[in-house]
Every structure is written in C-alpha cells, then in structure tokens.
Amino acid sequence: MSDVEALAIVSEAYPLVKTGGLADVAGALPGALAREGVRATTLLPGYPAVTRALERAEEILAPSPLMGAPARVLRGRAGGLDLFVLDAPHLYDRPGNPYLGPDGRDYEDNPFRFAALAQVGAKLAFGEAAGYAPDVVHLHDWQSGLAAAYLRYDGRRRPGVVATVHNLAFQGQFPAALLPGLGLPPQAFSIEGVEYYGMIGFLKAALALADRITTVSPTYAAEIRTPEHGMGLDGLLRQRADVLSGVLNGVDADVWDPANDPFIVQPYDVDSIGLRPANKAALQEKFGLEPDPGALLLGVVSRLSWQKGLDLLFDSFDLLDRLGAQLAVLGSGEPALEQRLAAAAEARPGRVGALIGYDEATAHRIQAGADAIVIPSRFEPCGLTQLCALRYGALPIVARVGGLADTIVDANEMALAAGVATGVQFSPTTREMLASALERAARLWDDPQAWDATIQNGMLTDVSWRRPAAVYARLFRDLARERGQIRTQST
Ligand code: ADP
Ligand code: GLC
C-alpha cells in the first residue's frame, strides 16, 4: 500500500530515452520507491520514442496553448513506468537526442521546451488533472528546475518540492529577456528566485526554492558547497546546507545482473566467477585485441567529456604497453576526444580497441569482460559505471571524487589485510596519480589471491536501489507530513 504520492519531473528515463545516468535513475527509482510505499508517476516530454511506447494512454489534461501551440497530457504506461506524457509535438516531436539538434548543438528553444515541461508539472502538482494530487514533487536537474518557481509564485497551496542535482555542471541559464515568455511574474526575477548573475537560472531556481535539495552522493553534497566544485552556486548551497543532503544512487539490479544478462555470451555470478573469462575472450575478439587471457584488460564505458578525465588515460598509452595491459573503450562525446581515441586504436592494433558511439549491449559486454573499469573523473556526482563494475566483477579504478569516493574501498594494504577492498582509488585527478593507480592495479593483477578477494568483495557489495529508495521514501514522507501541517495553518 502506498501512503505517499510523488510526481517525478524529468527529461529522460531508461529504457525510453537515455543520454546518461539521469535516465538510469529516473527509470529505476519509481520501482524501488513502490517497494517502500511511495507511488511515483513520472512526467516526461512526449519525444517520439516515448509516445510510440505509450500503452493504453488516456488524455488527462485537454489541449490548451503552451509555448505557442496546443499541448495536452496523456497518462499511461511505458518502459515499466507509470507516466504522464506531455504531448506537445511543436516542442518534442524531433528525432534523436532529447537536447541536441542534428548539428550537435543545443536546440535554440530549449528554455521553452523545458519551461513547458516544468509548467505542466506544476499544473499536475496543483491537482488540475482530475483524481490526481501528489504529496511531493521530485525535480531532477535543470530541465525540471523551473517547476519550483511555477509552484512558488502561483500562490495556490502546493505539495512539497524536492530538487535532486545530478550534475551541477549543467545549469540551464538563459537571457533575462525570456522571462515574460516563460510565464513567470516579474517578482520571480530576484536573487531569492530565478535570477542568476543577470540571467534566468533554471537549476538556480530549483536550488533557491525547493523545500529539500538532494544530490547523488554524500561526498558530492559536501563538494558542491566549496568554491572549487560549486560552479558558482556554492554560496547558495552553503546557505541552504540545512536542507541539502546526499543520497547515493543504486543500479537496477535486474538490468545489471551478470547471472541473467541477455547481452553477454556467458552468464555467471559470484559463485561461478570461473565462467567469466569466456566474456573476456569475446570482448577481446569484438575489440580486435590479442586473445591473451593473461593480459590485464582495462575497459571504459563513458561519455567523452572533460568531466570524465579520459584525456589523462589517452596520455598513458606508453604506460599501458609497459604494463602489458589492453584497453577497450566505448564512448562518445567531444569530437577531439573521439578523434584521439580512434587514432590510438589505429596506432595500437591488438592493444587498444575503440567503439565510438552509444551502445547498450557493448556497455554490458565491457562490464562482463574487462578485468578492470577505469573512471578517472575530474568530478563525479555519483557515477554508475563503477557500481556496475562492482556487480560484474570488474575492478573499478577510480578518481577519489564525489560518488566514486563513497562507493569504492581502495585496495591499500590496510583494506586488503582487513578484507574490505573493492577497487583502486587515486587523488588528485592527474596523469601521474592515474599512472600510479594503474601500476597498483597491475601489481594486484599479478597477485591472483588478492585480486580474487577484491573482486569478490565488490560482487558482494549491495549496489541496488534498496537502501537509497528507503532514504528517499523517508525524505518524501517527512516532507509530505510537514507540508500537511503547513497546509492546515497557512498556504
Ligand atoms: P553520466 O551520467 O555522467 O554520463 P553515469 O556513470 O552516472 O555517468 O552514467 C552513465 C550511464 O550511461 C551508464 O548507464 C553507462 O553504462 C551509460 N553509458 C555511458 N556511455 C555509454 C556509451 N557510449 N554506450 C552505452 N552506454 C553508455
Ligand atoms: C550525472 C552525473 C553522474 C550521476 C548521474 C545520475 O549524469 O554525471 O555522476 O551518476 O547523473 O545521478
């Protein structure tokens, strides 16, 4: 039985539309919350992939004008999720990436596309769809951020608002001149509201106006309050420290399950880890690497961006040769990094393999076949690939930042002796420290007993949504109770 009704507003959700970890979270959290007594319905933009998948849709908000043309809201199920879908073809009926046009650049009307999502989210939150009245609205990143403002400046009684920051690097800032077109009153453009250094800040609005702020790891929650990692919002986040907390992500234990993974050639689990090398052989073949079971095979599954620090790894090919290591990379993103990667694979046949693009099946095959997964991020709010690596028995080699710091136990002598190590960490994120981490990983590889024990610890770590969902459920329940009291007193 659910006693709390939550409305999630988000711009992507696995398996319908995904550009990164945000979609994984939005796709898995509702199911995990349901087990904690929270019923979550997700409002998504009506991208073609979403409307196509929608089953038994009913219209719950009739067409009305929205950013220049009529739009309506459908309710139904798709991809295992209970959905509200904002059917607004003029805003979302575009193929491909949800944010970028075919030229790889942000759509120019993104402020309107996502303000529209937030505005409709606010309508649903106010109970404008018959029979639906959420207790809590859960915002994710800048794309839904303006909902906090629509809810605050309307004046009607509103549910509690939780804003979750998945990545402070994307803030959704737009010229102040857009304000009237966004349907916000002039007083919203203040330092307490949406104003941010003379611009309109969608994420800033959420951080200023939400009742609670969460981010996706405790370490990131602390980091973003510092000038070094606060990306200009650290002052506001320090001010709001009393309502800011870090809740680690999990991974969907059904989607990421080496014992039951349709993408891999040989299923296995912690008790049948001896079967795993068949996946390594398949991966070596797929990436054109030498079929050497003894070579340490490093894997990467990542967006190629400055955040992820992969340029440092691409500076380290000589070291990899010295260590006798192989590298298989699946990634896409910044053209300069894609080119470097392609050139390296060409220059080092049999040693470095690259697949440039986005491919779900290959992501699973790398997790199942690589001996280690390298994540040298400069910052990482949570990170999901290290969690998948733990589950799949690949050693995470990670920078000690954000969620990578919180989820991996470094295989130093003490941790090895205590039997708690799960990976290798390094800090700061520099080429030198990455090199020493790779050397440490290679030494561990040469000590099969210590390696196997570390892998086993990783595989036995609970990286599911069970615990995080319980934390969100408590947060939602507390807020709903608190708002309930406020409702009987004033607004
Ligand atoms: P971020 O959201 O910053 O990109 P996360 O580690 O939180 O990083 O999540 C990344 C998600 O996207 C993971 O599910 C990962 O497997 C997936 N992913 C990243 N790059 C690719 C790719 N090129 N092909 C397939 N999946 C990818
Ligand atoms: C962001 C972050 C990543 C996090 C993901 C899901 O994309 O970069 O660290 O895991 O969101 O919360």
Side-chain angles (χ1 to χ4, degrees):
M1 261 299 282
S2 313
D3 62 335
V4 178
E5 184 81 45
L7 170 65
I9 310 178
V10 69
S11 57
E12 52 182 280
Y14 180 88
L16 300 167
V17 48
K18 165 167 161 176
T19 69
L22 171 61
D24 291 310
V25 173
L29 186 53
L33 282 172
R35 290 187 278 279
E36 300 295 327
V38 175
R39 197 181 125 86
T41 311
T42 304
L43 171 65
L44 275 178
Y47 311 118
V50 175
T51 44
R52 252 197 326 268
L54 202 61
E55 298 156 19
R56 289 190 301 279
E58 64 168 316
E59 184 179 282
I60 53 121
L61 280 181
S64 66
L66 182 69
M67 307 294 176
R72 59 182 186 153
V73 177
L74 301 171
R75 186 175 196 167
R77 268 185 79 78
L81 297 168
D82 288 322
L83 293 182
F84 293 120
V85 173
L86 176 51
D87 182 26
H90 63 299
L91 300 173
Y92 310 122
D93 189 9
R94 304 172 193 182
N97 187 292
Y99 317 114
L100 312 176
D103 59 356
R105 300 240 279 259
D106 285 347
Y107 283 119
E108 239 172 70
D109 59 349
N110 274 351
F112 299 104
R113 297 172 75 224
F114 294 108
L117 182 74
Q119 210 169 46
V120 167
K123 280 182 182 225
L124 293 167
F126 282 128
E128 290 191 22
Y132 183 72
D135 303 295
V136 172
V137 182
H138 190 190
L139 309 180
H140 295 272
D141 275 355
W142 73 267
Q143 292 90 344
S144 58
L146 224 50
Y150 291 121
L151 287 164
R152 179 62 67 98
Y153 294 106
D154 182 277
R156 275 178 284 176
R157 246 168 42 171
R158 63 170 179 86
V161 177
V162 177
T164 294
V165 179
H166 296 265
N167 196 335
L168 207 59
F170 303 104
Q171 300 186 354
Q173 279 161 50
F174 303 104
L178 301 186
L179 197 69
L182 297 178
L184 281 167
Q187 72 267 26
F189 195 68
S190 71
I191 192 157
E192 293 80 29
V194 307
E195 191 270 344
Y196 183 65
Y197 293 109
M199 313 228 350
I200 303 168
F202 282 34
L203 183 64
K204 192 271 169 154
L207 300 183
L209 300 170
D211 299 302
R212 299 281 193 283
I213 302 167
T214 71
T215 186
V216 287
S217 69
T219 293
Y220 196 58
E223 287 170 346
I224 57 179
R225 282 180 277 157
T226 67
E228 195 189 344
H229 291 286
M231 305 207 166
L233 287 163
D234 47 294
L236 173 59
L237 289 162
R238 280 196 297 279
Q239 248 176 48
R240 304 224 62 204
D242 55 331
V243 296
L244 167 65
S245 62
V247 186
L248 274 177
N249 289 332
V251 291
D252 190 321
D254 295 327
V255 176
W256 295 98
D257 178 6
N260 192 7
D261 184 331
F263 295 123
I264 66 178
V265 297
Q266 174 62 62
Y268 61 95
D269 63 15
V270 66
D271 297 321
S272 58
I273 187 84
L275 300 173
R276 194 177 186 276
N279 294 305
K280 177 171 178 175
L283 189 65
Q284 284 171 324
E285 192 185 334
K286 182 174 173 62
F287 276 81
L289 302 171
E290 287 154 16
D292 178 358
L296 173 62
L297 172 49
L298 307 173
V300 171
V301 178
S302 186
R303 287 189 288 120
L304 299 178
S305 75
W306 185 82
Q307 171 188 346
K308 302 293 179 180
L310 289 163
D311 49 306
L312 304 173
L313 183 62
F314 300 165
D315 283 342
S316 311
F317 291 122
D318 290 343
L319 172 67
L320 297 189
D321 284 347
R322 259 202 325 280
L323 298 175
Q326 301 179 340
L327 179 65
V329 183
L330 168 65
S332 63
E334 287 169 18
L337 288 170
E338 289 186 352
Q339 280 153 22
R340 275 192 75 185
L341 174 59
E346 214 176 289
R348 290 180 151 76
R351 313 294 303 167
V352 175
L355 208 153
I356 292 164
Y358 187 91
D359 185 57
E360 204 71 43
T362 307
H364 285 245
R365 289 177 189 141
I366 291 180
Q367 294 286 1
D371 298 306
I373 298 288
V374 191
I375 313 172
S377 303
R378 291 189 166 90
F379 67 94
E380 195 61 75
C382 179
L384 298 175
T385 51
Q386 83 280 14
L387 302 180
C388 299
L390 289 174
R391 199 157 155 71
Y392 276 66
L395 184 90
I397 302 173
V398 305
R400 191 182 299 117
V401 290
L404 300 173
D406 293 335
T407 53
I408 303 302
V409 182
D410 178 59
N412 53 52
E413 262 175 56
M414 307 276 277
L416 283 170
V420 295
T422 59
V424 172
Q425 286 188 331
F426 63 95
S427 173
T429 304
T430 59
R431 186 166 60 85
E432 291 71 25
M433 295 316 290
L434 170 62
S436 93
L438 293 170
E439 281 163 2
R440 279 207 293 140
R443 277 203 297 278
L444 199 62
W445 178 244
D446 289 336
D447 178 352
Q449 218 180 336
W451 179 276
D452 291 349
T454 307
I455 293 298
Q456 185 170 19
N457 291 339
M459 292 186 82
L460 293 173
T461 304
D462 181 2
V463 296
S464 76
W465 272 103
R466 199 177 48 83
R467 264 181 300 190
V471 178
Y472 277 110
R474 198 176 325 123
L475 189 102
F476 289 179
R477 204 162 271 128
D478 287 350
L479 181 57
R481 213 169 285 137
E482 187 184 306
R483 293 293 307 166
Q485 283 163 5
I486 292 169
R487 276 186 214 186
T488 56
Q489 289 163 11
S490 59
T491 53

